[in-house]
């Protein structure tokens, strides 16, 4: 197999097996509680941790996970959002960036395969039809599609069938806690039977609970406990596989979440100025906001300078109002600094307590408190306060109870490469050399 780095080189590995567990939305505001739980605290005592892991912009799950897997910022990896732009398509009917071929750079799992290592992935974002040997990618059936069949066609067929037959009864679509229970059972089986060198899994229970019940809810506390129980079962599987001494664990979050009081339907502003309009029963746009919770991309039809000026005037006008949910209008220079790709010239950042929504069948600003609705979300700038992620790396060759300070999401992939002894040098970040013995 031809190498992506030109030639295959192996440094001394620090562990034969690396288990990466993404706890979606595991952030600094829940560190105190999480670090007291029995299983995670064991890994913390036996390793290094940071509660100051900075996400990328916009802090959406697929954007961040692609940075985790590639070690580069979104302007290089090309996954700018969870979803490709699909104006006027309902959120639940939109397709996502499901497939590996949307990523423009090498991934750590490709590099591991090139080094003849076995790889496994369960619900790892943007890994459909990838090189991962044992792969159940994260893919959701939309419209009339069949969930199990869609996963099978995009993952490793035999492995998917085997896991579905054994544990599929645990799943109820993508509902929690059933989905993460299914993922955990598959993980246990995979660790014991396949002993992959690199195993990347994604648990979503915590993110779901924060979205629905808010960040400070009892439900979130219950999820934290469930997550730790799952971690304990995975650690036990490593023990039973007889690979504990040669295994490193990496647990990390991808972004925080903030409670939201006001939902802002930004496209209403463009529709009021005629930049979104109906033509022969069909919706058309000259300017359109692709929203992602705490941030939004402003798309302008190619070459339509008048639409650009009108849209900017609408935004600046709205920002003069104290009730506006817009905190910042970022132009290209700021977006370059934030490592945002070239697909748009402008982005909006929401104030804390506000989020952006693409729908156009609601009032421009909806007060969720008044409706009795609890909601939280992400997507915000990683520079916002109290929004950093947690990271724990644990294993024999890691210093014990070592506190890491500020680090960036682009440092994760080079650190994975260092652990496995893989060449992976194109990254924007650097390996966390300081944590290893
Ligand atoms: Zn996420």
């Amino acid at each position: 197999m031809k190498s992506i780095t030109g030639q295959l080189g192996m440094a001394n590995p620090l562990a034969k097996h690396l288990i990466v567990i993404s706890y979606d939305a595991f952030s600094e505001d829940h560190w105190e509680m999480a670090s007291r739980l029995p299983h995670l605290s064991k890994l913390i005592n036996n390793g290094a941790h940071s509660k100051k892991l900075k996400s990328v912009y916009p802090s959406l799950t697929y954007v961040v996970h692609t940075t985790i897997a590639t070690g580069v910022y979104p302007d290089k990896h090309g996954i700018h959002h969870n979803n490709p732009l699909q104006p006027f398509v309902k959120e639940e009917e939109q397709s996502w960036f499901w497939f590996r071929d949307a990523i423009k750079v090498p991934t750590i799992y490709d590099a591991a395969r090139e080094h003849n290592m076995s790889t496994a992935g369960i619900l790892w974002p943007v890994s459909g039809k990838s090189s991962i040997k044992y792969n159940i990618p994260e893919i959701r059936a939309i419209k009339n599609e069949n969930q199990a069949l869609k996963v099978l066609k995009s993952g490793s067929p035999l492995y998917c069938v085997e896991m579905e037959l054994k544990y599929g009864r645990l799943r109820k679509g993508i509902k929690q806690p059933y989905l993460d229970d299914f993922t955990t059972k598959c993980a246990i089986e995979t660790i014991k039977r396949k002993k992959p060198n690199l195993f990347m899994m994604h648990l979503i229970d915590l993110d779901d609970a924060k979205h629905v019940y808010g960040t400070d809810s009892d439900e979130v506390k219950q999820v934290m406990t469930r997550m730790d129980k799952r971690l304990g079962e995975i650690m036990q599987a490593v023990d039973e596989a007889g690979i504990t001494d040669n295994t490193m664990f990496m647990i990390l979050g991808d972004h925080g979440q903030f409670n939201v009081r006001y939902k802002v339907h930004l496209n209403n502003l463009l529709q009021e100025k005629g930049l979104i309009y109906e033509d022969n029963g069909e919706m058309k746009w000259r300017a359109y906001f692709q929203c992602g919770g705490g941030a939004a991309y402003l798309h302008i039809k190619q070459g339509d300078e008048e639409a650009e000026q009108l849209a900017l005037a609408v935004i600046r006008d709205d920002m003069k109002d104290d009730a506006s949910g817009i905190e910042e209008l970022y132009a290209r220079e700021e977006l370059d600094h934030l490592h945002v790709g070239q697909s748009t010239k402008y982005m909006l950042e929401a104030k804390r307590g506000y989020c952006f929504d693409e729908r156009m069948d609601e009032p421009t600003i909806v007060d969720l408190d008044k409706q009795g609705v609890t909601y939280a979300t992400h997507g915000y700038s990683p520079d916002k306060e109290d929004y950093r992620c947690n990271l724990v790396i644990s294993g024999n060759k890691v210093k014990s109870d070592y506190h890491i300070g500020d680090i960036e999401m682009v440092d994760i992939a080079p650190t994975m490469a260092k652990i496995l002894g893989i060449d992976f040098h194109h990254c924007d970040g650097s390996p966390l050399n300081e944590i290893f013995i």
Side-chain angles (χ1 to χ4, degrees):
M1 201 185 289
K2 192 180 163 292
S3 167
I4 43 183
T5 49
Q7 61 183 87
L8 283 181
M10 288 285 287
N12 275 341
L14 296 167
K16 195 173 167 199
H17 308 276
L18 172 61
I19 298 177
V20 179
I21 311 179
S22 157
Y23 276 23
D24 204 298
F26 184 36
S27 48
E28 58 178 313
D29 45 332
H30 287 96
W31 174 259
E32 287 309 320
M33 188 198 172
S35 60
R36 287 197 300 269
L37 293 166
H39 302 294
L40 192 63
S41 65
K42 201 173 164 190
L43 293 186
I44 292 166
N45 291 335
N46 204 11
H49 73 267
S50 171
K51 48 182 177 174
K52 293 290 172 194
L53 169 59
K54 186 174 155 183
S55 191
V56 293
Y57 194 56
S59 50
L60 296 172
T61 299
Y62 279 32
V63 182
V64 188
H65 279 77
T66 306
T67 289
I68 295 172
T70 61
V72 301
Y73 291 106
D75 53 357
K76 286 191 190 157
H77 66 53
I79 304 298
H80 74 282
H81 196 290
N82 292 336
N83 317 84
L85 177 66
Q86 295 155 85
F88 313 118
V89 177
K90 285 184 198 158
E91 199 184 334
E92 58 273 19
E93 290 181 3
Q94 290 200 9
S95 59
W96 290 46
F97 282 110
W98 308 122
F99 302 109
R100 159 68 182 93
D101 66 4
I103 303 174
K104 293 177 183 160
V105 294
T107 67
I108 188 72
Y109 49 77
D110 293 330
R113 272 311 283 279
E114 289 201 351
H115 285 76
N116 296 319
M117 292 180 174
S118 68
T119 53
I122 305 182
L123 300 196
W124 192 265
V126 208
S127 74
K129 299 184 179 171
S130 71
S131 70
I132 297 175
K133 187 170 182 189
Y134 305 108
N135 192 21
I136 305 177
E138 184 170 281
I139 280 185
R140 188 163 46 89
I142 48 175
K143 296 175 190 161
N144 297 323
E145 292 170 336
N146 176 290
Q147 178 71 33
L149 196 64
K150 192 166 182 183
V151 170
L152 190 89
K153 281 161 89 176
S154 313
S156 323
L158 284 176
Y159 174 67
C160 287
V161 167
E162 191 189 341
M163 293 298 139
E164 187 64 26
L165 287 175
K166 275 195 164 151
Y167 304 114
R169 68 194 147 75
L170 295 175
R171 232 174 10 88
K172 297 186 180 174
I174 55 167
K175 282 204 188 84
Q176 296 293 358
Y178 315 105
L179 181 61
D180 280 9
D181 289 344
F182 166 77
T183 301
T184 305
K185 289 287 182 240
C186 295
I188 291 167
E189 178 89 8
T190 304
I191 289 164
K192 284 196 202 167
R193 298 267 306 277
K194 318 284 189 197
K195 297 182 185 158
N197 300 111
L198 173 62
F199 182 30
M200 299 169 79
M201 61 183 282
H202 179 211
L203 295 172
I204 307 151
D205 205 353
L206 180 62
D207 182 68
D208 259 27
K210 285 188 177 182
H211 276 303
V212 178
Y213 301 108
T215 59
D216 321 308
S217 57
D218 285 341
E219 285 84 355
V220 163
K221 289 180 188 132
Q222 287 161 20
V223 174
M224 296 298 303
T225 307
R226 281 207 292 271
M227 298 291 278
D228 201 63
K229 188 169 164 281
R230 293 181 184 122
L231 175 61
E233 289 171 13
I234 292 166
M235 288 163 70
Q236 192 186 337
V238 170
D239 247 354
E240 287 172 17
I243 55 172
T244 300
D245 285 348
N246 233 331
T247 295
M248 235 183 250
F249 282 95
M250 186 185 273
I251 318 288
L252 79 167
D254 56 343
H255 49 70
Q257 285 208 24
F258 289 135
N259 290 332
V260 171
R261 174 156 179 190
Y262 300 102
K263 230 177 216 191
V264 185
H265 297 91
L266 285 174
N267 283 318
N268 290 5
L269 301 172
L270 300 177
Q271 191 176 28
E272 282 162 17
K273 297 288 173 193
L275 294 168
I276 292 175
Y277 56 98
E278 205 177 313
D279 181 23
N280 275 332
E282 199 186 328
M283 294 304 292
K284 298 265 177 75
W285 61 277
R286 294 172 65 193
Y288 186 86
F289 285 111
Q290 184 184 23
C291 299
Y297 290 93
L298 172 62
H299 290 277
I300 309 279
K301 273 278 157 72
Q302 184 96 37
D304 194 340
E305 283 172 26
E306 186 192 44
E308 182 173 340
Q309 293 315 315
L310 284 168
L312 292 176
V314 170
I315 292 165
R316 289 186 180 124
D317 204 37
D318 186 84
M319 287 175 76
K320 286 181 197 151
D321 189 342
D322 285 344
S324 170
I326 304 169
E327 185 170 278
E328 294 281 353
L329 163 62
Y330 292 126
R332 197 58 247 174
E333 196 180 330
E334 287 126 323
L335 295 183
D336 286 345
H337 183 68
L338 288 161
H339 303 284
V340 170
Q342 298 290 331
S343 63
T344 49
K345 279 165 79 174
Y346 303 99
M347 276 183 88
L348 299 185
E349 168 72 9
K351 292 175 183 167
R352 200 168 161 164
Y354 291 76
C355 76
F356 301 137
D357 192 296
E358 239 162 278
R359 288 170 62 170
M360 295 172 59
D361 53 357
E362 298 261 1
T364 302
I365 296 193
V366 172
D367 184 339
L368 297 176
D369 269 13
K370 279 196 182 150
Q371 295 188 341
V373 174
T374 308
Y375 182 64
T377 199
H378 49 96
Y380 301 92
S381 160
D383 287 320
K384 272 199 162 63
E385 288 259 321
D386 211 19
Y387 195 62
R388 296 286 168 108
C389 309
N390 301 319
L391 167 72
V392 178
I393 303 178
S394 185
N396 276 350
K397 299 244 169 91
V398 185
K399 292 175 186 166
S400 289
D401 198 24
Y402 186 83
H403 297 236
I404 318 167
D406 286 321
I407 46 168
E408 299 224 17
M409 215 48 90
V410 289
D411 298 328
I412 299 299
T415 304
M416 291 191 219
K418 163 123 187 155
I419 291 168
L420 291 172
I422 291 174
D423 273 344
F424 200 62
H425 296 305
H426 68 285
C427 302
D428 287 330
S430 320
L432 304 171
N433 292 322
E434 61 179 283
I435 71 170
F436 300 110
I437 295 169

